[in-house]
Amino acid sequence: MSVLLGDREAKVQAFDLSGQPLSAAKRVETGRGGSAAILDSCLAAASSHLNSRDAIPVQLVATGVALDEDAPDLEWPEYFGGRPVVVDSVLGAVATAEALSRTPRPQNMLFLDVGKTIDCAVLVHGRTLGVLRTSKGAFGHTPVKGTSAKSTSVPACACGITNCLQAIAGEEAIIASLSSDSKDEPDAISDAVRRADAAAVSVLRQAGRDIGDTLLGSIHLLRPDVITVRTRWLGATDLLLAGLKEAVYAGGAPAVTENLVLASSRNRSPATGIALRAMDAGLAVEPVNRLLSAAPGLSGQQICRPAPRKSTDHQRTHLLTGPR
């Protein structure tokens, strides 16, 4: 089960062991209460939704919770209903889905999210480092000491750093650099890119260079296989990538960058990413032993539905092993 948790509501979705959704996302009002109350509400919604479908025996393997930046600050249980609970940020969940969608699957990956804030999810050995929700946009508040920062009048960021990456390469800085007739449009950057505005092309490539220069230390330390870039500005990703490649390949040691892939994001779903993370935890040896000894059902109890066409043992084995 995946739970995308915001301030007052969650989106709940059930997945099978091949990573395919068994249901559409269902909205659940979480209101007040601790993490156990929220998970109980989500579990009830998932159970109700699955009970309304055709007969399939269901066994909860694990729960993945992806936290939006406005999600309540709660202590999340390690297990729920005797099943593992995996918690990550929405950005970390998207990065996981991105990594799992690539062949060969990268072990170490940096996932850049560039927009109003600039953030970076870090995957090491296929796992995101920490829950990033409490540090939203933290990467964007790294000081930049490149030529661009020194030669340009950069306003102080709200974080207190003058040469902050976000103040130099974030959305507000890019819009401020556009021609005057473009700045007031709702999607100013996307519209400027669509018109091939020379100022937009130049500033987006420079933003890519500044981001690349800031990443160089992390690249040499973590040796990522892939760096991916996501942005909401239509058509802008290629321009950011061009500047990013220029900075990384020119400034990085060849032994580190010769096999490094820099690419645009495939825009995968955070629900899929956190569900697959949870599945991985749920299919470890100890959780599987618990699963096989428990009664079927999302909550550990039998969910009432018409008798299945195949035996329960056969269906349970199929759920654990996936389609052949």
Side-chain angles (χ1 to χ4, degrees):
M1 180 173 67
S2 73
V3 178
L4 303 185
L5 184 65
D7 182 18
R8 295 187 178 276
E9 73 169 17
K11 294 179 182 178
V12 181
Q13 200 165 10
F15 288 79
D16 66 20
L17 295 190
S18 69
Q20 297 301 310
L22 289 171
S23 63
K26 185 176 180 66
R27 292 181 183 271
V28 178
E29 290 187 8
T30 54
R32 295 182 179 180
S35 53
I38 291 173
L39 288 176
D40 276 333
S41 299
C42 293
L43 183 63
S47 300
S48 172
H49 192 61
L50 288 173
N51 270 329
S52 66
R53 298 170 58 85
D54 292 337
I56 49 171
V58 175
Q59 184 84 290
L60 179 64
V61 173
T63 300
V65 181
L67 303 174
D68 195 1
E69 58 179 313
D70 297 321
D73 190 12
L74 301 170
E75 290 292 330
W76 294 93
E78 187 176 350
Y79 290 91
F80 177 69
R83 311 291 190 262
V85 176
V86 173
V87 183
D88 204 343
S89 67
V90 168
L91 182 64
V94 173
T96 298
E98 176 81 25
L100 293 173
S101 72
R102 294 188 169 272
T103 304
R105 184 179 300 175
Q107 287 298 301
N108 297 345
M109 187 181 85
L110 302 178
F111 182 89
L112 285 164
D113 184 46
V114 183
K116 289 185 178 180
T117 60
I118 302 175
D119 214 340
C120 182
V122 181
L123 274 77
V124 176
H125 298 302
R127 297 287 180 270
T128 51
L129 292 181
V131 178
L132 309 176
R133 176 180 57 95
T134 55
S135 57
K136 175 68 175 173
F139 173 70
H141 298 299
T142 305
V144 178
K145 303 185 183 300
T147 305
S148 168
K150 291 180 179 178
S151 62
T152 307
S153 177
V154 179
C157 179
C159 70
I161 300 175
T162 302
N163 286 341
C164 174
L165 178 62
Q166 185 168 306
I168 295 168
E171 184 173 77
E172 289 186 11
I174 293 172
I175 291 175
S177 301
L178 300 179
S179 53
S180 58
D181 59 340
S182 304
K183 294 180 181 180
D184 297 329
E185 297 175 6
D187 294 312
I189 297 174
S190 299
D191 291 341
V193 171
R194 178 176 50 79
R195 295 194 311 270
D197 182 273
V201 172
S202 175
V203 74
L204 283 165
R205 287 183 67 110
Q206 185 58 51
R209 294 186 197 102
D210 289 326
I211 293 169
D213 286 337
T214 308
L215 273 179
L216 277 175
S218 300
I219 292 170
H220 283 79
L221 178 65
L222 298 172
R223 304 289 184 96
D225 309 303
V226 178
I227 299 175
T228 58
V229 178
R230 179 182 73 167
T231 180
R232 71 176 187 88
W233 311 321
L234 294 177
T237 306
D238 288 343
L239 296 173
L240 286 169
L241 271 173
L244 184 66
K245 290 177 180 179
E246 184 179 335
V248 169
Y249 293 138
V256 175
T257 61
E258 62 179 348
N259 295 318
L260 175 61
V261 175
L262 285 79
S264 59
S265 167
R266 296 175 177 178
N267 293 318
R268 299 297 178 177
S269 160
T272 300
I274 199 64
L276 292 173
R277 276 280 312 278
M279 186 191 308
D280 194 33
L283 294 180
V285 174
E286 184 179 348
V288 167
N289 287 338
R290 292 183 184 179
L291 189 70
L292 292 174
S293 63
L298 281 175
S299 62
Q301 301 297 321
Q302 180 69 48
I303 298 178
C304 297
R305 52 168 56 85
R309 289 182 292 272
K310 297 182 181 179
S311 72
T312 301
D313 288 343
H314 177 87
Q315 289 280 7
R316 187 181 300 166
T317 301
H318 175 75
L319 285 173
L320 285 171
T321 59
R324 296 184 183 275

